[in-house]
């Protein structure tokens, strides 16, 4: 990345059963500069990132509590041997039924319990898609828990009823937890606007067309992840306009709260004297071009293709230096 990276970057450590009890190793990672640790409470689909149930997370929390670094968790608690999904694998409903809301709520209940036990550790629920879990989180916060939560643009923009069959590129919408119904989307927006949901994260996960099973249309075999980083701001703004969101909301959800979670508020997250001058020149009324040729990522397959999004970024500045202007990354 040397000489190629145009933005500031930092790393999260991976928390897995093999290292959760090794406080010496975790401490070394903290001292090397990791912002926190990411764990999956469900099988991730990656051999190197094994499932970490509640007991495994608890082994690491005394060390994380000592340093005050967050535990960032994919919150789904699935059976070790989940039943084989029934139905046509090219129908989104088949995939949606295979990852029920209870997987999320069960995991979140356990994280709230850990948050109450290890009060010095910030515990963060990654990419919430289940609006049924919002009352649990609201009550936990009201009781003094340090638990925080994010959702993602694809949960706020798309709805299960609108996702096409797999053979019509529907697999591009597959992610985990899954995109749920429109009424669920509306309640996620309510949770965000009420402050139960703290921030928005991209959960950007690009892959090739082959990995997304575009030809077969098989949701059950397709890679679970959405290619959406570039469209995140526009998708949030477009979906939020009908709900009365403000520029201040966008700054809070996309900048201030993420910087707080990552422990970077001394230099990042807001335009304040003494902090890094990171900002965009943005026209909220301008159409965002979502055609494939304007997509900057290596892998171009995305469910946002050709959608009518609002909010165009003219320029991006990092530490006061322009790194992007009108569709072109600076040399």
């Amino acid at each position: 990345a040397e000489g190629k990276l145009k933005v500031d970057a930092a790393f999260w450590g991976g928390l897995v059963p093999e290292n959760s009890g090794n406080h010496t190793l975790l401490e070394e990672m903290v001292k090397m500069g990791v912002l926190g640790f990411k764990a999956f409470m469900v099988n991730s689909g990656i051999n190197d990132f094994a499932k970490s149930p509640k007991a495994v997370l608890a082994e690491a929390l005394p060390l994380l509590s000592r340093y005050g670094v967050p535990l960032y968790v994919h919150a789904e608690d699935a059976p070790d041997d989940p039943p084989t999904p029934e139905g046509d694998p090219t129908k989104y409903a088949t995939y949606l039924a295979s990852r029920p809301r209870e997987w999320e709520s069960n995991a979140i209940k356990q994280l709230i319990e850990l948050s109450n036990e290890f009060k010095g550790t910030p515990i963060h629920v990654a990419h919430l898609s289940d609006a049924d879990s919002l009352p649990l989180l609201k009550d936990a916060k009201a009781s003094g828990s340090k638990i925080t939560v994010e959702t993602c643009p694809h949960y706020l923009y798309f709805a299960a009823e609108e996702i096409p069959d797999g053979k019509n590129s529907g697999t591009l919408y597959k992610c985990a937890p899954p995109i749920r119904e429109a009424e669920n989307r509306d309640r996620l927006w309510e949770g965000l606007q009420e402050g139960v949901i703290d921030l928005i994260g991209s959960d950007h996960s690009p892959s090739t067309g082959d990995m997304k099973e575009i030809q077969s249309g098989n949701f059950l075999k397709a890679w679970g992840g959405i290619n959406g980083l570039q469209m995140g701001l526009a998708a949030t703004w477009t979906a939020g306009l009908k709900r009365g969101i403000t520029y201040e909301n966008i700054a809070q959800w996309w900048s201030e709260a993420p910087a707080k979670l990552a422990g970077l508020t001394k230099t990042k997250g807001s335009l304040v004297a003494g902090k890094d001058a990171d900002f965009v020149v943005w026209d909220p009324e301008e159409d965002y071009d979502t055609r494939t040729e304007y997509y900057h990522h290596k892998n171009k397959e995305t469910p946002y293709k050709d959608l009518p999004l609002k909010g165009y970024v003219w320029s991006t500045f990092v530490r006061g230096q322009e790194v992007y202007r009108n569709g072109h990354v600076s040399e």
Side-chain angles (χ1 to χ4, degrees), residues 158 169 172-173 204 207 212 214 226-231 290-292 295 297 299-307:
F158 300 116
S169 299
L172 295 178
Y173 298 78
H204 179 62
S207 65
K212 291 300 284 185
I214 291 177
I226 287 181
N227 189 357
L229 179 61
Q230 184 176 329
M231 311 301 184
T290 57
R291 289 177 292 175
T292 300
Y295 211 62
H297 294 287
N299 295 309
K300 311 292 186 183
E301 305 291 353
T302 174
Y304 292 104
K305 179 183 176 182
D306 297 334
L307 291 182

Side-chain angles (χ1 to χ4, degrees), residues 53 67 80 85 174 181 193 198 204 227-228 242 259 266 316 318:
Y67 284 94
D80 289 332
K174 180 184 175 180
E181 298 83 359
Q193 292 176 291
D198 300 271
H204 179 62
N227 189 357
K242 66 183 71 174
K266 290 184 179 180
T316 301
V318 178

Side-chain angles (χ1 to χ4, degrees), residues 57-323:
L57 302 181
E59 289 181 331
L61 285 174
L63 187 281
L64 273 61
S65 182
R66 188 193 317 164
Y67 284 94
V69 295
L71 175 63
Y72 190 98
V73 186
H74 179 120
E76 286 184 287
D77 182 22
D80 289 332
D81 188 19
T84 302
E86 298 181 356
D88 185 346
T90 68
K91 301 292 185 182
Y92 183 72
T94 301
Y95 171 65
L96 179 60
S98 76
R99 298 187 89 103
R101 298 179 187 221
E102 291 77 15
W103 286 14
E104 289 191 76
S105 60
N106 290 342
I108 288 169
K109 288 175 185 176
Q110 295 173 56
L111 292 178
I112 291 171
E113 291 170 357
L114 289 173
S115 179
N116 292 333
E117 181 179 354
F118 298 92
K119 296 185 181 298
T121 306
I123 295 180
H124 184 72
V125 177
H127 39 65
L128 177 75
S129 82
D130 170 38
D132 288 350
S133 294
L134 289 172
L136 294 171
L137 292 160
K138 184 175 182 178
D139 289 347
K141 290 186 172 199
S143 299
S145 171
K146 293 184 69 174
I147 199 163
T148 56
V149 59
E150 73 184 49
T151 192
C152 305
H154 40 274
Y155 300 134
L156 298 170
Y157 190 91
F158 300 116
E161 299 92 332
E162 303 161 1
I163 295 176
D165 289 349
K167 291 183 179 179
N168 290 321
S169 299
T171 54
L172 295 178
Y173 298 78
K174 180 184 175 180
C175 58
I179 295 167
R180 304 192 187 277
E181 298 83 359
E183 60 81 20
N184 184 86
R185 176 182 60 191
D186 291 341
R187 287 189 288 138
L188 288 177
W189 271 108
E190 291 172 4
L192 187 61
Q193 292 176 291
E194 291 174 5
V196 181
I197 299 174
D198 300 271
L199 59 95
I200 299 175
S202 70
D203 199 27
H204 179 62
S205 183
S207 65
T208 64
D210 288 344
M211 292 178 67
K212 291 300 284 185
E213 293 285 338
I214 291 177
Q215 293 299 318
S216 74
N218 190 322
F219 280 100
L220 303 181
K221 292 182 178 180
W223 173 261
I226 287 181
N227 189 357
L229 179 61
Q230 184 176 329
M231 311 301 184
L233 174 59
T236 305
W237 179 246
T238 302
L241 280 173
K242 66 183 71 174
R243 296 171 171 87
I245 69 169
T246 65
Y247 304 144
E248 290 81 4
N249 292 147
I250 290 289
Q252 172 67 26
W253 298 332
W254 272 109
S255 297
E256 292 183 41
K260 182 178 179 181
L261 169 67
L264 297 174
T265 53
K266 290 184 179 180
T267 56
K268 302 292 184 183
S270 57
L271 289 176
V272 177
K275 292 190 179 184
D276 294 342
D278 301 335
F279 61 93
V280 297
V281 179
W282 178 63
D283 185 344
E285 301 298 326
E286 182 79 13
D287 292 336
Y288 194 100
D289 200 324
T290 57
R291 289 177 292 175
T292 300
E293 55 264 39
Y294 290 95
Y295 211 62
H296 293 284
H297 294 287
K298 177 181 178 180
N299 295 309
K300 311 292 186 183
E301 305 291 353
T302 174
Y304 292 104
K305 179 183 176 182
D306 297 334
L307 291 182
L309 301 183
K310 286 286 186 182
Y312 186 78
V313 175
W314 286 97
S315 295
T316 301
F317 289 81
V318 178
R319 300 193 188 191
Q321 300 296 312
E322 189 176 45
V323 298

